[in-house]
Amino acid sequence: MRITKRLALGLTAAAFAFGLGAANAQETLRIGTEGAYPPFNNLTSDGKLVGFDIDIANALCEEMKVKCEFVTQDWDGIIPALQAGKFDAIIASMSITEERKQKVDFTHKYYNTPSAIVAPKDTDIKGVAKEDLAGKTLGAATSTTHYNYAEKTYTDTTLKGYPTSQEFLLDIANGRLDAVTDDVSVLEEWLKTTDGACCKVVGMITPVPEIHGEGAGIAVRKGETALAEKFNAAIDAIRKSGKYKEINDKYFPYDVYGG
Amino acid sequence: MSAVSDAAAVDIPPPVERGWPGRRIAGHVLVGVWVLLGLALAVYLFTAWNPELFDRWKGPYLSGLGITLLLVAISTVLGAILSIPIAYGRMSRNRVLSAIAYAYVYFFRGTPLLAQTFLIYYGLGSFRPQLEMVGLWTFFREAWYCAILAFTLNTAAYQAEILRGAIESVGRGQWEGASSLGLSKWQTLRMVIMPQALIVALRPYGNELILMIKGSAIVAIITVYDLMGVTRLAYSRSFDFQTYIWAAIIYLAIVELLRNVVELIERRLTRHLRR
């Protein structure tokens, strides 16, 4: 009994020492992401994380010469999880907004694409103005800028909130919704799938800075300016080196960085 | 002989511990910890109190609470009705009936309510053409009906088991006695068995209701904005944890209220059993 206990203790200590040694050799940065937002970040059926955010994150980590580890986390709880130290940065297509800036610090944007509205091909929705969507049922993921915009703008529309994009895309495919709103690149990716064949983009929404913010940035805990600056330098570096363009072109036929 | 001495051994209460043994100290420390936690929560709520946030969300919270209560009330009542044939099937000697009822209970008790709700709403949603053909799409189109259906089916399985357990807890002699007095099976059930069985079933029914209240917190995944759904929305806007604490306090208050109501009913129903 004694011996086993001592042995276990010794092994734990050894494991600790080894772990610390490894950590010292190369700093590990834990990156939080959602994993349900293709083509930006998505879990494949065999549990691998793929997408634009993931490739960008890996490129940034390589640039910063740190080892990165991904943690997937539900969107609703992603900011509290960052604050609680479950990971050190969020790279999950998070729009830089005033509301969020009160809780976390952001890097510069690493991409900026507008939101769009998608509806079935035979829809009578002609545009994205308030009147166009009056009396319709619109779906969006809660806790997103798209939802906030819809709530403020389409006051004559029934707005339904979903946990992630996956669910409202199911619901527009089966006809429970008249339209959905999300990031245009996410919607276009979906339109290419079999389910997405039902639908088309009816229009793009002109971004409102107070709601949509200045694009998607990397969130770090408040006050961790050094880390944010490191990310900023790395974003600039991959923009310059052409690594950014390489990743951009892998996913999109257009430039997602925006003006 | 030994049986008697065993019974005697059981009946003697353990001697009362005097002074301050370790267990008693530990007990006081633990109570102290809980009191401190409670105080900390009260202090936190007092300092973090945000009247602006409260004003912004009190309307949505009330409507969320209404949705939660309505959803649980409707599905519990419908579930109670549905549970009668299922309980009958479970107790039936007919092999087919009993197997069907067994499979039903097995499935709905064995899988998470979350999965059932998801399957009914999103799963059946992908069979729209077939559902339209049989004219059921108008029903399945609405998240609210899907939620009621899922919750009813789920609670019916649990309630059927409560009912069956309660009926089977009444001794066979009661059936035989009633039969010898010339009462029909139905009369026996209604006038002899059920009054006794329902007393047994009351507590489990109360539990099931409480579990339903808490279980209903998942319904926001299908866009029905109940108390929990509103809480998550409020949190996602404010990133303020007190939104969750408000929800916890409301849930706690409902459960406490239900517990007391069940207690009251039980006291009234068991007057004749008290000495």
Side-chain angles (χ1 to χ4, degrees):
Chain A
M1 188 57 199
R2 262 254 167 93
I3 293 167
T4 11
K5 245 187 189 166
R6 282 210 178 148
L7 195 68
L9 212 68
L11 278 176
T12 323
F16 248 97
F18 186 74
L20 284 175
N24 281 341
Q26 202 182 23
E27 200 186 335
T28 306
L29 203 59
R30 284 163 306 159
I31 309 281
T33 195
E34 187 195 5
Y37 201 56
F40 290 103
N41 58 74
N42 193 32
L43 280 170
T44 58
S45 48
D46 55 349
K48 263 204 231 106
L49 267 170
V50 293
F52 178 80
D53 286 341
I54 310 303
D55 286 0
I56 289 285
N58 282 327
L60 293 177
C61 293
E62 201 180 301
E63 189 64 42
M64 289 157 59
K65 304 212 170 22
V66 291
K67 196 171 160 287
C68 280
E69 212 176 86
F70 288 99
V71 180
T72 49
Q73 161 73 42
D74 269 358
W75 184 247
D76 274 343
I78 205 161
I79 286 185
L82 173 72
Q83 289 171 326
K86 308 270 184 227
F87 35 76
D88 307 305
I90 300 173
I91 304 187
S93 296
M94 183 175 274
S95 300
I96 307 165
T97 64
E98 282 307 316
E99 269 179 337
R100 288 177 183 145
K101 268 187 196 164
Q102 291 170 9
K103 297 289 164 183
V104 293
D105 280 350
F106 278 103
T107 62
H108 305 319
K109 67 161 185 181
Y110 64 94
Y111 80 86
N112 188 10
T113 47
S115 15
I117 288 191
V118 152
K121 278 180 175 151
D122 57 357
T123 183
D124 57 354
I125 300 172
K126 292 192 181 61
V128 297
K130 183 177 177 232
E131 305 78 57
D132 292 318
L133 281 129
K136 305 286 184 194
T137 308
L138 178 68
T142 43
S143 334
T144 62
T145 51
H146 317 288
Y147 185 90
N148 293 357
Y149 177 81
E151 197 181 33
K152 290 214 174 70
T153 315
Y154 304 123
T155 41
D156 301 329
T157 307
T158 312
L159 180 61
K160 292 180 95 183
Y162 291 80
T164 74
S165 306
Q166 309 301 309
E167 281 93 16
F168 68 65
L169 291 174
L170 282 172
D171 257 6
I172 183 133
N174 63 36
R176 280 198 185 105
L177 295 170
D178 298 318
V180 296
T181 177
D182 204 340
D183 191 284
V184 65
S185 6
V186 171
L187 291 173
E188 274 181 348
E189 179 75 12
W190 176 72
L191 290 177
K192 288 183 222 154
T193 65
T194 8
D195 271 358
C198 65
C199 303
K200 64 170 189 195
V201 175
V202 291
M204 307 286 252
I205 291 167
T206 322
V208 180
E210 304 87 76
I211 297 175
H212 292 108
E214 53 216 85
I218 299 165
V220 297
R221 275 182 293 275
K222 261 221 156 324
E224 297 204 346
T225 332
L227 182 59
E229 284 310 319
K230 263 171 96 181
F231 271 121
N232 279 334
I235 294 173
D236 291 344
I238 61 165
R239 288 278 301 159
K240 279 209 192 78
S241 71
K243 183 79 189 163
Y244 185 96
K245 191 171 175 340
E246 189 185 307
I247 297 169
N248 185 111
D249 295 349
K250 183 172 155 198
Y251 291 96
F252 310 104
Y254 45 87
D255 177 25
V256 293
Y257 190 75
Chain B
M1 200 53 210
S2 77
V4 171
S5 61
D6 276 355
V10 167
D11 279 343
I12 297 169
V16 179
E17 285 181 275
R18 291 179 195 285
W20 286 89
R23 270 195 288 175
R24 199 164 164 197
I25 295 170
H28 277 76
V29 168
L30 280 179
V31 169
V33 167
W34 281 109
V35 169
L36 274 181
L37 279 176
L39 276 178
L41 181 65
V43 168
Y44 168 78
L45 274 181
F46 185 74
T47 53
W49 181 250
N50 183 344
E52 212 177 294
L53 191 69
F54 181 77
D55 274 343
R56 161 81 179 78
W57 288 101
K58 90 185 152 196
Y61 265 73
L62 277 181
S63 84
L65 175 63
I67 297 269
T68 295
L69 294 180
L70 196 63
L71 180 63
V72 171
I74 295 177
S75 39
T76 308
V77 169
L78 292 180
I81 297 169
L82 184 60
S83 74
I84 296 168
I86 299 167
Y88 179 83
R90 283 285 277 138
M91 290 182 290
S92 166
R93 284 214 203 110
N94 181 326
R95 276 229 181 129
V96 178
L97 266 185
S98 127
I100 293 172
Y102 178 77
Y104 179 91
V105 170
Y106 187 84
F107 177 77
F108 280 97
R109 288 206 310 179
T111 55
L113 180 57
L114 181 75
Q116 293 159 14
T117 313
F118 205 91
L119 274 179
I120 287 178
Y121 186 73
Y122 294 110
L124 287 180
S126 53
F127 293 101
R128 180 181 178 181
Q130 290 85 336
L131 287 172
E132 266 176 342
M133 219 148 60
V134 290
L136 282 174
W137 177 245
T138 38
F139 179 87
F140 284 102
R141 192 191 155 97
E142 297 300 322
W144 173 246
Y145 295 142
C146 288
I148 287 182
L149 179 66
F151 282 47
T152 300
L153 293 179
N154 182 273
T155 189
Y158 284 93
Q159 291 191 35
E161 286 301 277
I162 293 172
L163 198 59
R164 181 179 70 95
I167 291 174
E168 285 181 352
S169 77
V170 181
R172 279 205 64 75
Q174 302 266 345
W175 287 96
E176 285 160 2
S179 152
S180 70
L181 288 172
L183 293 176
S184 74
K185 246 192 157 175
W186 171 239
Q187 281 172 320
T188 313
L189 188 68
R190 193 163 57 90
M191 298 192 289
V192 180
I193 305 298
M194 281 320 257
Q196 300 175 73
L198 286 180
I199 291 175
V200 177
L202 184 66
R203 287 269 161 171
Y205 270 133
N207 273 345
E208 174 59 14
L209 202 56
I210 287 170
L211 288 176
M212 282 291 286
I213 293 267
K214 293 188 293 178
S216 71
I218 56 133
V219 78
I221 60 155
I222 62 165
T223 76
V224 172
Y225 273 75
D226 70 326
L227 183 55
M228 198 62 201
V230 172
T231 304
R232 281 168 57 176
L233 206 60
Y235 180 74
S236 74
R237 287 303 157 72
S238 60
F239 301 111
D240 193 337
F241 266 115
Q242 63 178 301
T243 51
Y244 277 107
I245 296 179
W246 293 346
I249 291 174
I250 297 174
Y251 277 112
L252 211 59
I254 306 172
V255 169
E256 185 60 19
L257 188 76
L258 277 175
R259 195 178 69 81
N260 279 299
V261 169
V262 170
E263 188 108 340
L264 212 72
I265 298 175
E266 186 176 73
R267 269 168 183 247
R268 182 148 173 86
L269 286 182
T270 56
R271 271 175 309 174
H272 63 288
L273 295 176
R274 233 170 302 133
R275 275 175 275 186

